[in-house]
Amino acid sequence: MPATIANEQVHEMSDSGVIDGSSTSPEQKQLASGSSKSPFEQGKLARWEEMSAHMRREFTMWHRIMRLDAIRVSGEWVPHSPSQASVSKRAANQLAMDVGLREDENLEPCLRHHAARLVSILEVYALYDPETGYCQGMGELLSPFVALLDEDYQAFWCFSSFMNAVRQNFRLDEVGIQRQLQMVSNLLKLSDPQLYKHLEMIEAVDCFFIYRMVLILMRRELTFEQTISFWEILWADKTAARFDKVKISCRKGKRKAPPTDDLLLYVIAAAVRQRRVFIMEKCRCMDDVLNECNNMSGNLDVWSLLDDARDLVASYHHKLVTSA
């Protein structure tokens, strides 16, 4: 693992608000304590020494998978990050060597460098949170942070905070994912009985066809720009729901929609309902619905979806909460 963070950057983390006294966990404080090694290196060495032989084998497996996943991450971020887009071939090759990438020789330098940064940060996260480790899909969640932040320490702490909210998606028992799929199913049952009845008939009422949307927060369905805006809206809604003080209206004259921790699920339900005619007329099995959902990628109007989702929240949020 390359020592990508200099000691003086610990102070920058505090100054920039990435680490502050009120929100920093004890583990973060330990990693940012300012010893002779960088926080990433401190964390990696400490975690590695604490890990059992079994966990070390797990980490070796995670590392192999994350390398393969990293080189497949979309490069649509490139126009939005000029500094990283212009990285030299020499710098890209060096970082790729440092993290053990071997399958990326044909990538452009900026994409190779991006993939290497993903591996570097995901390695540290797997050690920082060994209970979660690494699962497919995490690289796609990390990629926007890496694209927008030139410093690895900033991308790491932003990603680790993000994972605090979505790590349930990566549990091996899939309890978190199943809860969310069931909520979307219940929402469709309440809001669109005809569509729900059709899903029952084709044995797709478990809503497995939206699994990917839930897992990586619609990252593949939305463009890079849409993703950034959408995720910020989700975070704002979660914050408002936590304080339970803000009431958000959809449009003038519409019933107000309360903030919710589950806005993502309302948006996904809205996306499915926008395809209801095709699904009811053309889809005869789960795979048909899955293919239609996959075809949404790059063809969604996120603002229209949010508008429809707010309507669903206003009409059905209370019913879903009371029936849970």
Side-chain angles (χ1 to χ4, degrees), residues 35-87:
S35 71
S36 60
K37 293 187 177 182
S38 73
F40 266 15
E41 287 299 300
Q42 291 179 58
K44 183 180 179 183
L45 291 174
R47 294 293 185 183
W48 185 259
E49 290 172 358
E50 294 169 2
M51 289 169 67
S52 65
H54 171 72
M55 288 302 298
R56 293 186 185 189
R57 288 193 295 271
E58 287 279 295
F59 180 83
T60 301
M61 178 187 67
W62 295 334
H63 187 256
R64 182 169 59 253
I65 297 171
M66 69 177 65
R67 290 201 315 263
L68 294 173
D69 290 346
I71 64 175
R72 299 187 186 119
V73 169
S74 169
E76 62 174 323
W77 58 269
V78 173
H80 305 276
S81 183
S83 61
Q84 295 184 47
S86 60
V87 68

Side-chain angles (χ1 to χ4, degrees), residues 58-254:
E58 287 279 295
F59 180 83
T60 301
M61 178 187 67
W62 295 334
H63 187 256
R64 182 169 59 253
I65 297 171
M66 69 177 65
R67 290 201 315 263
L68 294 173
D69 290 346
I71 64 175
R72 299 187 186 119
V73 169
S74 169
E76 62 174 323
W77 58 269
V78 173
H80 305 276
S81 183
S83 61
Q84 295 184 47
S86 60
V87 68
S88 69
K89 184 175 182 179
R90 179 178 179 181
N93 290 344
Q94 182 60 58
L95 189 55
M97 289 177 58
D98 289 344
V99 300
L101 278 179
R102 303 182 188 89
E103 305 86 358
D104 64 336
E105 290 85 354
N106 296 325
L107 292 179
E108 297 177 33
C110 63
L111 299 182
R112 192 176 197 197
H113 190 263
H114 185 81
R117 287 188 67 200
L118 291 179
V119 173
S120 178
I121 296 169
L122 288 169
E123 275 187 330
V124 177
Y125 184 80
L127 292 167
Y128 176 73
D129 181 10
E131 184 179 345
T132 303
Y134 176 76
C135 300
Q136 288 184 307
M138 289 170 59
E140 293 189 72
L141 295 180
L142 171 60
S143 180
F145 296 109
V146 171
L148 295 176
L149 299 168
D150 290 339
E151 300 293 345
D152 284 358
Y153 74 89
Q154 293 175 329
F156 171 79
W157 288 124
C158 287
F159 176 68
S160 63
S161 295
F162 188 29
M163 284 297 297
N164 287 338
V166 302
R167 70 197 297 266
Q168 62 173 334
N169 290 357
F170 299 96
R171 288 181 50 159
L172 290 178
D173 59 15
E174 296 195 332
V175 169
I177 285 283
Q178 293 299 330
R179 179 197 73 81
Q180 294 173 88
L181 298 184
Q182 185 60 53
M183 183 172 173
V184 174
S185 180
N186 293 342
L187 181 55
L188 292 175
K189 184 177 183 178
L190 285 170
S191 64
D192 200 330
Q194 285 185 313
L195 175 59
Y196 182 84
K197 185 175 181 179
H198 181 73
L199 293 175
E200 273 189 318
M201 184 178 67
I202 64 174
E203 299 182 348
V205 77
D206 60 1
C207 288
F208 187 79
F209 51 86
I210 61 166
Y211 188 99
R212 186 183 74 186
M213 295 187 198
V214 175
L215 182 69
I216 55 175
L217 286 73
M218 300 188 73
R219 176 65 194 93
R220 290 197 195 174
E221 284 67 39
L222 302 176
T223 66
F224 183 84
E225 287 183 287
Q226 288 176 331
T227 297
I228 301 306
S229 298
F230 180 56
W231 286 3
E232 288 187 352
I233 291 168
L234 294 183
W235 300 332
D237 222 53
K238 283 179 178 290
T239 300
R242 190 178 308 128
F243 289 102
D244 197 28
K245 294 178 181 178
V246 180
K247 300 296 180 183
I248 305 172
S249 60
C250 303
R251 290 188 297 261
K252 189 174 182 180
K254 288 278 187 176

